[in-house]
């Protein structure tokens, strides 16, 4: 895969903010009961599905908070992130878990081996026109009966960030309608199981969307 310019910008921006991001964001999912509920449901589906016992990839894992959360739910999770600095923070913070540098659009994972894929707001910097190949890659690495959970900004606009977590950045944040996420997942061969839309919490720009799908 030829890397596009937006991936260069995302990597450079998250390399710059990695340490302060981990410090400022704080504990995963504090005060977010619906988010925790979707992750708990995802873990239960993975445990009980046709691909149970297989590993789960946390794509765009950042400093590893969600990878560790899944591990706490009994899921054999590992993290993948585009930013080497984020991966370094994750490895220091959670030395008992596995973290790798990689792109969710070109995973170094064999076909059909994973029990689950989590993309927790890790697609928000991907232009909607380029989401299809990302979801196709998610489907490729899932075993039959495996599940994918996508968390995303449920809007229909692009926001440009030039400063975040105390650093200059070059990041576009895309809101994506839930129906479009569902259509793209279906086109990749993934069947919708459930979706949740919640109102934005303070500091969030859009309603927050969560969509769970299965590879049949």
């Amino acid at each position: 895969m030829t890397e596009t310019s937006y991936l260069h910008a995302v990597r450079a921006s998250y390399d710059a903010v990695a340490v302060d991001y981990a410090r400022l964001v704080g504990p995963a999912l504090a005060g977010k009961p619906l988010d925790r509920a979707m992750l708990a449901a995802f873990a239960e589906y993975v445990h009980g599905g046709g691909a149970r016992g297989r590993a789960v990839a946390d794509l765009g894992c950042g400093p590893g908070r969600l990878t560790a959360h899944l591990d706490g739910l009994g899921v054999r999770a590992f993290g993948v992130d585009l930013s080497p600095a984020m991966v370094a923070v994750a490895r220091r913070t959670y030395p008992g878990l596995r973290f790798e540098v990689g792109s969710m659009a070109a995973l170094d994972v064999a076909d059909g081996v994973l029990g689950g894929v989590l993309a927790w707001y890790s697609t928000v910097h991907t232009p909607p026109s380029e989401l299809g190949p990302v979801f196709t890659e998610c489907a490729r690495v899932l075993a039959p009966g495996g599940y994918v959970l996508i968390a995303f900004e449920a809007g229909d606009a692009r926001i440009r960030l030039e400063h975040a977590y105390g650093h200059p950045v070059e990041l576009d944040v895309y809101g994506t309608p839930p129906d479009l996420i569902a259509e793209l997942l279906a086109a990749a061969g993934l069947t919708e199981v459930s979706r949740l839309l919640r109102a934005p919490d303070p500091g969030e720009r859009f309603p927050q969307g969560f969509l769970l799908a299965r590879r049949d």
Side-chain angles (χ1 to χ4, degrees):
M1 174 185 174
T2 300
E3 190 168 281
T4 56
S5 59
Y6 85 91
L7 291 178
H8 288 289
V10 170
R11 179 189 292 113
S13 295
Y14 279 102
D15 277 347
V17 306
V19 172
D20 289 319
Y21 178 98
R23 176 177 59 85
L24 293 169
V25 169
L29 309 172
K32 296 185 182 295
L34 292 174
D35 300 34
R36 293 196 304 272
M38 286 302 295
L39 284 163
F42 171 66
E44 187 168 342
Y45 273 107
V46 168
H47 284 311
R52 58 185 174 274
R54 295 176 180 265
V56 170
D58 176 14
L59 304 184
C61 65
R65 300 174 307 125
L66 271 295
T67 317
H69 185 81
L70 289 177
D71 180 72
L73 294 174
V75 174
R76 188 159 57 91
F78 68 96
V80 179
D81 201 274
L82 188 65
S83 162
M86 281 290 193
V87 169
V89 171
R91 287 171 174 169
R92 288 196 301 270
T93 307
Y94 306 104
L97 299 178
R98 177 163 63 98
F99 299 95
E100 303 170 356
V101 177
S103 168
M104 70 177 70
L107 294 166
D108 186 17
V109 178
D111 294 356
V113 298
L114 297 182
V117 169
L118 175 68
W120 195 258
Y121 297 104
S122 51
T123 62
V124 298
H125 303 304
T126 302
S129 62
E130 300 195 36
L131 283 175
V134 172
F135 293 157
T136 297
E137 184 71 347
C138 291
R140 179 187 69 79
V141 299
L142 277 176
Y147 289 86
V148 59
L149 175 60
I150 311 294
F152 57 99
E153 306 269 13
D156 193 13
R158 177 176 67 92
I159 295 174
R160 179 70 169 179
L161 297 181
E162 296 181 344
H163 194 271
Y165 307 104
H167 297 267
V169 297
E170 295 181 18
L171 290 172
D172 289 322
V173 179
Y174 295 91
T176 309
D179 284 346
L180 178 57
I181 296 287
E183 289 170 12
L184 293 172
L185 288 170
L190 299 164
T191 302
E192 181 177 346
V193 174
S194 181
R195 70 173 77 179
L196 170 70
L197 186 67
R198 69 161 174 81
D201 287 338
E204 294 176 340
R205 307 170 191 84
F206 302 106
Q208 306 298 293
F210 308 87
L211 205 150
L212 179 69
R214 179 184 64 246
R215 181 182 172 192
D216 293 322

